[in-house]
Amino acid sequence: MGQQGLSQGSIVIDPAGRDIHGEAARIRERGPVARVELPDGVQAWAVSNTELLKRLLTDPRVSKDPRQHWPTWINGEISPEWPLFTWVAVQNMFTAYGGEHKRLRTLVSKAFTARRTAALQPRVEEITKGLLDGIEEAGRRSGTVDLREEFCYPLPIRVISELFGLPEEKGAELRAIVDSVFHTAATPEEVTDTYTRLYAVMSELVATKREFPGDDLTTGLIAARDDEGDTRLSEQELLDTLVLMISAGHETTVNLIDNAIHALLTHPEQLALVRAGTASWDDVIEETLRVQAPVASLPLRYAVEELALGELGGPEGMVIGKGDAILASYAAAGRDPGKYGKDADRFDVTRVDKEHLAFGHGVHFCLGAPLGRMEARIALPALFERFPDLQLAVSEEELSPVESFISNGHRSLPAHLDPVRRDAGA
């Protein structure tokens, strides 16, 4: 079935992401693959079955390059005002295919090495301690602290800013821009304004690092060459690579830490298992990534040719047409009962099978996964050791999700640091 046949019976994706898991369940109910409608009526296939999604993510007949393989883009049907425009318009390894992807990823890997990531650990610990000191002081004054605002957000954004040599005073502006990139219910005006501001910040960063090189990833990307062709990133590839690494490099970690804290505070019996040594903080991190994928759905991929899903272990007789768009539904796949059983929705740190696709799979697996895991591995135990009586300050119903069907986190996470002292009026 091609693009024309997709519109009938499609599940309309809520751009505001108000019920990501309810929507994911409805997608799964349609089968391993379901037709969905993205903002502005753009049609796609959402893949929610874990094994089928893994196969599609590694199939050379599935591309991420809209310029080559998405007729909707090629025909000029996608406007710069589309809320997902930045996600498909960038020219970097995120949207590259085949040899181009290998070239770009190799260049980025030269700058973003495992050694550089490991060397960040003392700095991550230092930033974490400073943030916890600030939280403790704020808690003394008000009794309640927004952990997303004061902890989950500033840690990753400070780490990524230092990693890329972005001046500290640009942090607030960068955060506002990235929030807007993930805001899938954005107005056309917000979309175009965000796009302009984003590239202004990245261009300024590149210009500064060309004049004043440093020991940072931006300088490394400017200098990186392809050994075989001795080529560098083009100017557009350089800017778009920075867009990818800096935006995706902190938003996903924000959500990981946010969701892990929320899961432990709403499942005290799971926190008790960690404190008793029955489960580890790595167990917490991996189970959070599975049950609350930081990126709920990732746009977009495209069928290079007609795909008979029966040949990939999917439904017999079902076909994704050449040029059709594909949405990787990580939130839905993370709770796939076919893989995780009837209790797939349950947060369980002792679950044996915590394998997940939260960081992707195959050649596009997230380069920043080790950094995100390291930040969470440092932040979570430090928070719960400093504030052993931590409690949510509002009911579950009062928490609101971020306005996005891509980003899966909370707008705020208010908590009492010391409920006993607060009740005593201390």
Side-chain angles (χ1 to χ4, degrees), residues 64 87 94 295-301 326-330 406:
K64 292 194 79 175
W87 291 88
F94 182 77
V295 173
S297 295
L298 190 64
L300 280 172
R301 285 173 165 81
I326 300 169
L327 186 70
S329 298
Y330 294 135
I406 297 175

Side-chain angles (χ1 to χ4, degrees), residues 185-201:
T187 64
E189 293 77 18
E190 181 184 342
V191 172
T192 52
D193 178 61
T194 298
Y195 194 76
T196 302
R197 290 165 60 210
L198 180 61
Y199 282 93
V201 170

Side-chain angles (χ1 to χ4, degrees), residues 112-187:
F112 196 31
T113 60
R115 180 183 297 177
R116 188 185 285 270
T117 298
L120 284 169
Q121 182 167 331
R123 182 60 182 140
V124 173
E125 292 170 347
E126 185 180 357
I127 294 171
T128 299
K129 182 181 183 303
L131 290 172
L132 292 176
D133 291 343
I135 288 170
E136 187 166 358
E137 181 60 33
R140 286 199 195 100
R141 292 194 304 269
S142 65
T144 303
V145 174
D146 181 352
L147 290 177
R148 183 172 174 98
E149 182 69 25
E150 304 297 335
F151 189 61
C152 307
Y153 226 115
L155 173 60
I157 203 166
R158 201 171 296 176
V159 170
I160 208 75
S161 294
E162 291 187 7
L163 188 59
F164 282 87
L166 192 75
E168 189 173 338
E169 62 270 18
K170 289 286 184 182
E173 183 181 9
L174 175 66
R175 172 185 172 168
I177 292 170
V178 172
D179 279 352
S180 188
V181 169
F182 280 85
H183 183 205
T184 49
T187 64

